[in-house]
Amino acid sequence: MTDKSIKDVKAARSVTSNLLQGLDAATREKGVENSYWQAVRSTFKHGQPSDDDDTDGYIDIKYVDQELFLLMEFKYIKHLEKRVKAMEVVIQTIFYMHSLRDKLAKVPNMIFIGDKNNAFVMNTKPLLKYLDNDQVDWTVSPSHAAAEYRATMVVDLYNDNDINYYLHDVHSDDFTFQMLVDDIATLVSDSDEKIKLSPANINAAFDQFINQVMADYKRYTAEELVSLFITIATDRKNSVFENEDGSKLRIGDVSVSINKSNYRSFVGHFEDKYKPSEKRLFTETSDRLIQDVQRRQSGEFYTPSSFVRYAVGRLGKHLGENWTNEYVVWDPAWGTGNLTRDNHFERLFASTIHRSDLEQGRQYNSNSTKFVFDFLNDDIDFETNNLFGYRADKLPQELVNLLAEHPETKFCIFMNPPYGTAGNNKTNSISKSNISKSKIQDEMKSDHLKVQEQLYAQFLYRVIKMKINLNLNNLYIGLFSPTLLLTGTKYDKFRKLMFDNFEYVEGNIFEASNFSNVSDNWAINFSIWKAGKQNESSRFTFDTNVIKLDTSGQVNTVGHKLLYNTDDKNKQSLQSFLKDNTDQPSDLKKKVLQFSSRFKTNDKIIEVPQNEIGYILNDTNNVEASVKGSYLMHSPVTRHLKTAIITANTFVNQMVVFASRKVIDANWINQKDEFFAPSDTNSESFRKLGIKSVLFSIFSPNNNIISYRSDYHEAGIVNLNNWFFMSSEELKSLADEYNNDRVYNDAVENANTPVALNLISSMALDDKDNQLIQSARDIVRDSFKFRNIVNDDSPELSVNTWDASWHQVTAVANQYIPERVNEFNRLLNEYRSDILDLVYENKILLKD
């Protein structure tokens, strides 16, 4: 027994960093288990974990005020944010508890469950009633308990209102292992004591509230969300009313849909009794929460300190180690000072649009000149030289004098401007309408720069204006921005303006997820620019460092990435290549059904050119857009996407476009990579790419074209599938063998040679090509006898046509010979890899 109280147990800061480092490196369950073990071992030093009895570990320690018998269970990636997944682990701990009770004559009073991303602890009291269930076979292995009792005990646990827990996101900026230790200390006694909200944990609690409790937080304004949160946190017994099934709350006049189980966990974890002084503190804090939400809505993100230190160091490499003292620095998007507060600047000007920012950040950069200034609207004509000198209403006079009277001064614009785009519905923000409206936007629009809706482009545009009009030839820019500035096709005119006035010095890209509340599937670039003119030949490719934050808080270079654009007039984009390889639509028309997806039609009949055999959608010319903006369809789509008709004459080149876009997987590093036209369409490499692209297009999950006949939706229309790879005679023979009158007659009446089959028959195929086709042929043959069954059960699939598409074929095969389809898919994945090699070989994508 230790003479300490359990509430005196503290986890060192290094415990958290070591835990996160271990979890980041873990590639399987054992790595996760070892990481948590080490954290427990380093914190609960009076009782080292044991892994006896086949558990993931437990500790048993007697403190002066409480005994802690903690059972642990760890998974790799279990998605514990889903309650049912958490209960699948809880049932395993119940089986271990049953075993330990028999062996040790006692049961754990706490359980600790974690995976690579989340963790929670809970008191076992609500679980004890399950230990004496005589309907349970306790000889079942604990690891198989969830599967064995998925429909019984797991469901009971899921619906048990007594089982509550607070899930910690271990990758949250605010997470420390001490939070779990505090939960253990609070919950182990099974008292009613709960965690109190404080300025230290309120941000994490608010994020938990809007992301896990609120069913649809995007419906509410920032003010409404914070008000709901504060009311639930401090006055839920008097002001919050649940409906009968617990799916909605009534708070004043507002009805709020919630995740019931997550709400129970939330209110079960946090205290709701506060003194008047504490409630007043929440009122003051609410302003900060509102501003945080509004910043997310407008694309403003706090810059992590580690990346600031790295950025300051990179600037020092080019401006000199003492640059913070030698340069006049202006951060025109200061916010509350995240970019500058950790460094001393001899002459710093910090401006922000919000006066409250200056109040919140008043303790930072106390010797600087801080002022409220809307960089995109205020003193908009200041930098325009005129006979009456330079005048400004809101700029400090000292800064005016430096800019206007001393342009030779060493200046550095150091900024992380907002990344918001008006009308961009792909963000997590509630609304972004009108956020980019500004006087600078109007000027950019008049200059036809095309990217005026991007706020960071507006900031740069004003910096360019200042540089030109004030002759600031000693000006540097240190900029955090998306990589589209260098790569996006819409930025071509803006890039020309930028390169005519600034030289690109270096770039450093990292995952956007390093900023709070930002998704991780795109890159942020910290780039450095200096006044001057970029050489014409170096405006197209840019070598950048790939940087990553390790668990000790250090930013390290982990690789290099070639960023590039399609501005070079000597090169053609893949989108332009598709345009050049698309036939003119025929004046003659034919009727087809209009489809919104593979098997979904509104029964609307439309007219299309007689020469089309399908449509290729080819949206924005980068890797990111390939995910949802590139596929094959029966008919033109109603969404605003670039679409081209597919014809027999242009089939191969169009399928090269399609395959090139679909074989590359988007990630945060490559998603803004642009596609080029093939470097040489007469080469042997392109010939191979053409063959494999045609074959890939037949079997691609993104080929949505199906075969249907006149009785399909009673439309009276026949649609042949030109992506079929077997002859009508082969299918007629199969139909005869299996007495399928429908397919037999169809193969007679609608016989033709599909475009894909015609091409395959004339191409020189290699072994892998033949292997893929043979595997597909075998699936067609071996699944054919089931077509009548599937057709009777699911006529909407239209599987009884001789030229049924691969999706129609696999709709049958997946039901009866799924293992064969799985094997084929493995072949297709290997085939994709070969095509990707050819895509790089043909310089459709550029290698780093």
Side-chain angles (χ1 to χ4, degrees), residues 351-367:
S351 60
T352 179
I353 195 172
H354 305 293
R355 181 167 296 281
S356 57
D357 286 344
L358 301 183
E359 295 168 359
Q360 286 185 51
R362 60 183 177 273
Q363 70 271 36
Y364 306 130
N365 302 122
S366 56
N367 65 328

PDB file of all heavy atoms in Angstrom, residues 351-367:
ATOM      1  N   SER A 351      -1.540  43.832 -37.257  1.00  0.00           N
ATOM      2  CA  SER A 351      -2.894  44.339 -37.520  1.00  0.00           C
ATOM      3  C   SER A 351      -3.870  43.176 -37.660  1.00  0.00           C
ATOM      4  O   SER A 351      -3.516  42.085 -38.111  1.00  0.00           O
ATOM      5  CB  SER A 351      -2.918  45.189 -38.789  1.00  0.00           C
ATOM      6  OG  SER A 351      -2.512  44.457 -39.930  1.00  0.00           O
ATOM      7  N   THR A 352      -5.092  43.420 -37.271  1.00  0.00           N
ATOM      8  CA  THR A 352      -6.146  42.413 -37.327  1.00  0.00           C
ATOM      9  C   THR A 352      -7.480  43.104 -37.505  1.00  0.00           C
ATOM     10  O   THR A 352      -7.629  44.289 -37.173  1.00  0.00           O
ATOM     11  CB  THR A 352      -6.160  41.554 -36.049  1.00  0.00           C
ATOM     12  OG1 THR A 352      -7.213  40.605 -36.133  1.00  0.00           O
ATOM     13  CG2 THR A 352      -6.357  42.403 -34.804  1.00  0.00           C
ATOM     14  N   ILE A 353      -8.438  42.391 -38.013  1.00  0.00           N
ATOM     15  CA  ILE A 353      -9.751  42.975 -38.279  1.00  0.00           C
ATOM     16  C   ILE A 353     -10.603  43.060 -37.019  1.00  0.00           C
ATOM     17  O   ILE A 353     -11.550  43.834 -36.946  1.00  0.00           O
ATOM     18  CB  ILE A 353     -10.463  42.155 -39.374  1.00  0.00           C
ATOM     19  CG1 ILE A 353     -11.657  42.924 -39.932  1.00  0.00           C
ATOM     20  CG2 ILE A 353     -10.881  40.797 -38.870  1.00  0.00           C
ATOM     21  CD1 ILE A 353     -12.274  42.254 -41.147  1.00  0.00           C
ATOM     22  N   HIS A 354     -10.272  42.246 -35.999  1.00  0.00           N
ATOM     23  CA  HIS A 354     -11.083  42.176 -34.781  1.00  0.00           C
ATOM     24  C   HIS A 354     -10.395  42.919 -33.629  1.00  0.00           C
ATOM     25  O   HIS A 354      -9.278  42.564 -33.253  1.00  0.00           O
ATOM     26  CB  HIS A 354     -11.309  40.723 -34.360  1.00  0.00           C
ATOM     27  CG  HIS A 354     -11.913  39.868 -35.425  1.00  0.00           C
ATOM     28  ND1 HIS A 354     -13.189  40.050 -35.898  1.00  0.00           N
ATOM     29  CD2 HIS A 354     -11.395  38.812 -36.112  1.00  0.00           C
ATOM     30  CE1 HIS A 354     -13.446  39.149 -36.825  1.00  0.00           C
ATOM     31  NE2 HIS A 354     -12.370  38.388 -36.984  1.00  0.00           N
ATOM     32  N   ARG A 355     -11.051  43.901 -33.040  1.00  0.00           N
ATOM     33  CA  ARG A 355     -10.477  44.582 -31.883  1.00  0.00           C
ATOM     34  C   ARG A 355     -10.326  43.627 -30.713  1.00  0.00           C
ATOM     35  O   ARG A 355      -9.376  43.722 -29.925  1.00  0.00           O
ATOM     36  CB  ARG A 355     -11.355  45.768 -31.474  1.00  0.00           C
ATOM     37  CG  ARG A 355     -10.802  46.547 -30.278  1.00  0.00           C
ATOM     38  CD  ARG A 355     -11.502  47.871 -30.087  1.00  0.00           C
ATOM     39  NE  ARG A 355     -11.267  48.754 -31.207  1.00  0.00           N
ATOM     40  CZ  ARG A 355     -10.154  49.469 -31.391  1.00  0.00           C
ATOM     41  NH1 ARG A 355      -9.162  49.369 -30.514  1.00  0.00           N
ATOM     42  NH2 ARG A 355     -10.022  50.263 -32.425  1.00  0.00           N
ATOM     43  N   SER A 356     -11.257  42.671 -30.599  1.00  0.00           N
ATOM     44  CA  SER A 356     -11.175  41.712 -29.493  1.00  0.00           C
ATOM     45  C   SER A 356      -9.899  40.885 -29.574  1.00  0.00           C
ATOM     46  O   SER A 356      -9.401  40.402 -28.553  1.00  0.00           O
ATOM     47  CB  SER A 356     -12.402  40.799 -29.492  1.00  0.00           C
ATOM     48  OG  SER A 356     -12.521  40.130 -30.740  1.00  0.00           O
ATOM     49  N   ASP A 357      -9.363  40.699 -30.785  1.00  0.00           N
ATOM     50  CA  ASP A 357      -8.098  39.972 -30.924  1.00  0.00           C
ATOM     51  C   ASP A 357      -6.981  40.695 -30.182  1.00  0.00           C
ATOM     52  O   ASP A 357      -6.153  40.072 -29.515  1.00  0.00           O
ATOM     53  CB  ASP A 357      -7.708  39.840 -32.398  1.00  0.00           C
ATOM     54  CG  ASP A 357      -8.559  38.818 -33.139  1.00  0.00           C
ATOM     55  OD1 ASP A 357      -9.224  38.014 -32.463  1.00  0.00           O
ATOM     56  OD2 ASP A 357      -8.553  38.842 -34.373  1.00  0.00           O
ATOM     57  N   LEU A 358      -6.959  42.001 -30.325  1.00  0.00           N
ATOM     58  CA  LEU A 358      -5.915  42.781 -29.665  1.00  0.00           C
ATOM     59  C   LEU A 358      -6.039  42.679 -28.155  1.00  0.00           C
ATOM     60  O   LEU A 358      -5.033  42.646 -27.434  1.00  0.00           O
ATOM     61  CB  LEU A 358      -5.998  44.243 -30.102  1.00  0.00           C
ATOM     62  CG  LEU A 358      -5.858  44.513 -31.608  1.00  0.00           C
ATOM     63  CD1 LEU A 358      -5.885  46.020 -31.871  1.00  0.00           C
ATOM     64  CD2 LEU A 358      -4.573  43.896 -32.155  1.00  0.00           C
ATOM     65  N   GLU A 359      -7.282  42.610 -27.667  1.00  0.00           N
ATOM     66  CA  GLU A 359      -7.492  42.493 -26.223  1.00  0.00           C
ATOM     67  C   GLU A 359      -7.046  41.118 -25.734  1.00  0.00           C
ATOM     68  O   GLU A 359      -6.408  40.986 -24.697  1.00  0.00           O
ATOM     69  CB  GLU A 359      -8.966  42.725 -25.901  1.00  0.00           C
ATOM     70  CG  GLU A 359      -9.423  44.151 -26.216  1.00  0.00           C
ATOM     71  CD  GLU A 359     -10.940  44.308 -26.178  1.00  0.00           C
ATOM     72  OE1 GLU A 359     -11.631  43.292 -25.929  1.00  0.00           O
ATOM     73  OE2 GLU A 359     -11.437  45.424 -26.396  1.00  0.00           O
ATOM     74  N   GLN A 360      -7.385  40.085 -26.496  1.00  0.00           N
ATOM     75  CA  GLN A 360      -6.984  38.731 -26.097  1.00  0.00           C
ATOM     76  C   GLN A 360      -5.473  38.560 -26.165  1.00  0.00           C
ATOM     77  O   GLN A 360      -4.891  37.858 -25.351  1.00  0.00           O
ATOM     78  CB  GLN A 360      -7.642  37.696 -27.018  1.00  0.00           C
ATOM     79  CG  GLN A 360      -9.119  37.496 -26.774  1.00  0.00           C
ATOM     80  CD  GLN A 360      -9.650  36.373 -27.643  1.00  0.00           C
ATOM     81  OE1 GLN A 360      -9.094  35.278 -27.673  1.00  0.00           O
ATOM     82  NE2 GLN A 360     -10.717  36.633 -28.363  1.00  0.00           N
ATOM     83  N   GLY A 361      -4.845  39.197 -27.138  1.00  0.00           N
ATOM     84  CA  GLY A 361      -3.414  39.013 -27.334  1.00  0.00           C
ATOM     85  C   GLY A 361      -2.577  40.146 -26.795  1.00  0.00           C
ATOM     86  O   GLY A 361      -1.421  40.310 -27.200  1.00  0.00           O
ATOM     87  N   ARG A 362      -3.136  40.909 -25.852  1.00  0.00           N
ATOM     88  CA  ARG A 362      -2.410  42.098 -25.391  1.00  0.00           C
ATOM     89  C   ARG A 362      -1.098  41.760 -24.686  1.00  0.00           C
ATOM     90  O   ARG A 362      -0.171  42.567 -24.659  1.00  0.00           O
ATOM     91  CB  ARG A 362      -3.299  42.939 -24.469  1.00  0.00           C
ATOM     92  CG  ARG A 362      -3.774  42.223 -23.225  1.00  0.00           C
ATOM     93  CD  ARG A 362      -4.711  43.136 -22.415  1.00  0.00           C
ATOM     94  NE  ARG A 362      -5.247  42.471 -21.241  1.00  0.00           N
ATOM     95  CZ  ARG A 362      -6.340  41.725 -21.238  1.00  0.00           C
ATOM     96  NH1 ARG A 362      -7.018  41.573 -22.359  1.00  0.00           N
ATOM     97  NH2 ARG A 362      -6.765  41.138 -20.131  1.00  0.00           N
ATOM     98  N   GLN A 363      -1.011  40.515 -24.130  1.00  0.00           N
ATOM     99  CA  GLN A 363       0.221  40.143 -23.429  1.00  0.00           C
ATOM    100  C   GLN A 363       1.325  39.721 -24.383  1.00  0.00           C
ATOM    101  O   GLN A 363       2.464  39.531 -23.968  1.00  0.00           O
ATOM    102  CB  GLN A 363      -0.065  39.027 -22.415  1.00  0.00           C
ATOM    103  CG  GLN A 363      -0.391  37.668 -23.020  1.00  0.00           C
ATOM    104  CD  GLN A 363      -1.874  37.488 -23.285  1.00  0.00           C
ATOM    105  OE1 GLN A 363      -2.562  38.437 -23.659  1.00  0.00           O
ATOM    106  NE2 GLN A 363      -2.374  36.278 -23.076  1.00  0.00           N
ATOM    107  N   TYR A 364       0.993  39.536 -25.664  1.00  0.00           N
ATOM    108  CA  TYR A 364       1.980  39.079 -26.639  1.00  0.00           C
ATOM    109  C   TYR A 364       2.580  40.266 -27.390  1.00  0.00           C
ATOM    110  O   TYR A 364       1.886  41.227 -27.701  1.00  0.00           O
ATOM    111  CB  TYR A 364       1.353  38.110 -27.641  1.00  0.00           C
ATOM    112  CG  TYR A 364       0.636  36.942 -27.009  1.00  0.00           C
ATOM    113  CD1 TYR A 364      -0.661  36.608 -27.390  1.00  0.00           C
ATOM    114  CD2 TYR A 364       1.252  36.175 -26.020  1.00  0.00           C
ATOM    115  CE1 TYR A 364      -1.323  35.536 -26.810  1.00  0.00           C
ATOM    116  CE2 TYR A 364       0.602  35.104 -25.438  1.00  0.00           C
ATOM    117  CZ  TYR A 364      -0.686  34.786 -25.828  1.00  0.00           C
ATOM    118  OH  TYR A 364      -1.331  33.734 -25.253  1.00  0.00           O
ATOM    119  N   ASN A 365       3.875  40.174 -27.703  1.00  0.00           N
ATOM    120  CA  ASN A 365       4.555  41.221 -28.479  1.00  0.00           C
ATOM    121  C   ASN A 365       4.209  42.606 -27.944  1.00  0.00           C
ATOM    122  O   ASN A 365       3.767  43.495 -28.663  1.00  0.00           O
ATOM    123  CB  ASN A 365       4.176  41.116 -29.950  1.00  0.00           C
ATOM    124  CG  ASN A 365       4.507  39.772 -30.557  1.00  0.00           C
ATOM    125  OD1 ASN A 365       3.625  39.079 -31.063  1.00  0.00           O
ATOM    126  ND2 ASN A 365       5.775  39.387 -30.513  1.00  0.00           N
ATOM    127  N   SER A 366       4.443  42.772 -26.640  1.00  0.00           N
ATOM    128  CA  SER A 366       4.006  44.003 -25.965  1.00  0.00           C
ATOM    129  C   SER A 366       4.697  45.254 -26.496  1.00  0.00           C
ATOM    130  O   SER A 366       4.170  46.362 -26.378  1.00  0.00           O
ATOM    131  CB  SER A 366       4.237  43.879 -24.457  1.00  0.00           C
ATOM    132  OG  SER A 366       5.595  43.589 -24.191  1.00  0.00           O
ATOM    133  N   ASN A 367       5.878  45.102 -27.111  1.00  0.00           N
ATOM    134  CA  ASN A 367       6.591  46.278 -27.615  1.00  0.00           C
ATOM    135  C   ASN A 367       6.242  46.594 -29.069  1.00  0.00           C
ATOM    136  O   ASN A 367       6.846  47.464 -29.692  1.00  0.00           O
ATOM    137  CB  ASN A 367       8.103  46.066 -27.491  1.00  0.00           C
ATOM    138  CG  ASN A 367       8.587  44.930 -28.395  1.00  0.00           C
ATOM    139  OD1 ASN A 367       7.840  43.983 -28.625  1.00  0.00           O
ATOM    140  ND2 ASN A 367       9.808  45.025 -28.888  1.00  0.00           N
TER     141      ASN A 367
END
